[in-house]
Amino acid sequence: MTFAPAPIPSRTQYVLEAIKHAILTARLRPGQALVETELAAQFGVSKTPVREALKTLAGTGLVVMSQYKGVTVRLVDATMAREVYDVRLLLEPEALRRSITRGASLEAAQEALERADSAADPADRSLANRDFHRALYLPCGNPLLSRMLDEVRDQAALVSTVAWSAVPSWEREAAEHREILRLALADDAEAAAGALHHHIASFVRRAFPDDEDGGDAA
């Protein structure tokens, strides 16, 4: 017998999404303390939904819970970035290859790319970037593969947020996005997967140039 996970209460979901958005748009910085009482007052809720939201965020890797330091936004360094992007390098190009070979619609990727190009600020651009990548792998036909990529999606976005704040490189990555989508829409699965692999592999090297073994994030 299998059991579906219990739905997250609406107040917890609201707090969860608000904190996640603040982290992924750099309003909450890596290493910053997240105090339950302060967050509860900010969102007008009790500490219970805040506590549950923070537990969920710890599970996705966006925050760290410590017995001594409390809850903090996860720090990003070359080792963390390399681990996250190694997973992407192994899985994401294959997922895109499968999306293309099965003739899946990539309309959502096109829409996300257009939103990114017309974004009014870095926050909207970052969120559109995440949607673009997800739209490439989501229709791969293997729900488990999609879920595995979803599990590192927020951590990858955190790496990108930190990297962009230090080395703005959106224009270069946007051009790479357009080329990946062009190849995908032309049904060239191998070339599109190769372009995506290069795109992912080049970002961390630019963001963390002192790490000779690192691969890039996108």
Side-chain angles (χ1 to χ4, degrees):
M1 180 180 297
T2 58
F3 297 89
I8 299 177
S10 58
R11 288 186 179 181
T12 300
Q13 187 67 43
Y14 164 71
V15 174
L16 170 65
E17 294 301 327
I19 296 175
K20 179 191 292 188
H21 187 274
I23 292 172
L24 297 181
T25 56
R27 288 194 293 111
L28 290 173
R29 307 292 297 180
Q32 185 170 339
L34 301 175
V35 182
E36 287 184 11
T37 52
E38 294 178 359
L39 291 170
Q42 177 183 340
F43 296 121
V45 299
S46 69
K47 290 196 296 184
T48 298
V50 173
R51 186 178 301 118
E52 293 304 313
L54 292 176
K55 287 179 180 178
T56 300
L57 290 169
T60 66
L62 285 184
V63 308
V64 176
M65 290 183 162
S66 168
Q67 181 178 354
Y68 304 104
K69 295 182 179 180
V71 184
T72 57
V73 179
R74 184 174 184 177
L75 290 170
V76 174
D77 58 20
T79 298
M80 177 268 196
R82 182 172 62 249
E83 291 173 351
V84 171
Y85 282 90
D86 276 351
V87 173
R88 289 186 66 191
L89 282 169
L90 289 169
L91 300 180
E92 199 167 328
E94 176 60 25
L96 173 58
R97 183 184 291 108
R98 295 186 180 199
S99 294
I100 296 170
T101 56
R102 67 193 300 263
S105 171
L106 297 177
E107 183 177 350
Q110 180 67 60
E111 292 174 353
L113 188 58
E114 292 171 358
R115 282 193 287 115
D117 285 342
S118 61
D121 56 52
D124 289 342
R125 184 177 296 142
S126 176
L127 295 172
N129 176 69
R130 295 172 68 226
D131 290 344
F132 172 78
H133 279 275
R134 190 169 192 262
L136 296 179
Y137 69 71
L138 192 63
C140 69
N142 185 326
L144 178 58
L145 178 56
S146 297
R147 285 198 299 272
M148 292 173 70
L149 284 164
D150 274 348
E151 287 181 4
V152 299
R153 181 173 177 243
D154 287 343
Q155 295 179 59
L158 179 58
V159 173
S160 293
T161 297
V162 172
W164 285 340
S165 65
V167 184
S169 57
W170 169 253
E171 290 185 1
R172 174 173 177 171
E173 283 129 34
E176 293 172 354
H177 285 175
R178 286 189 285 271
E179 177 62 10
I180 292 166
L181 185 59
R182 184 189 70 79
L183 292 168
L185 293 174
D187 295 327
D188 194 338
E190 294 304 318
L196 178 58
H197 187 282
H198 173 77
H199 172 66
I200 295 170
S202 62
F203 185 83
V204 170
R205 282 197 299 270
R206 293 196 299 271
F208 298 94
D210 292 334
D211 177 25
E212 297 180 354
D213 296 326
D216 280 357

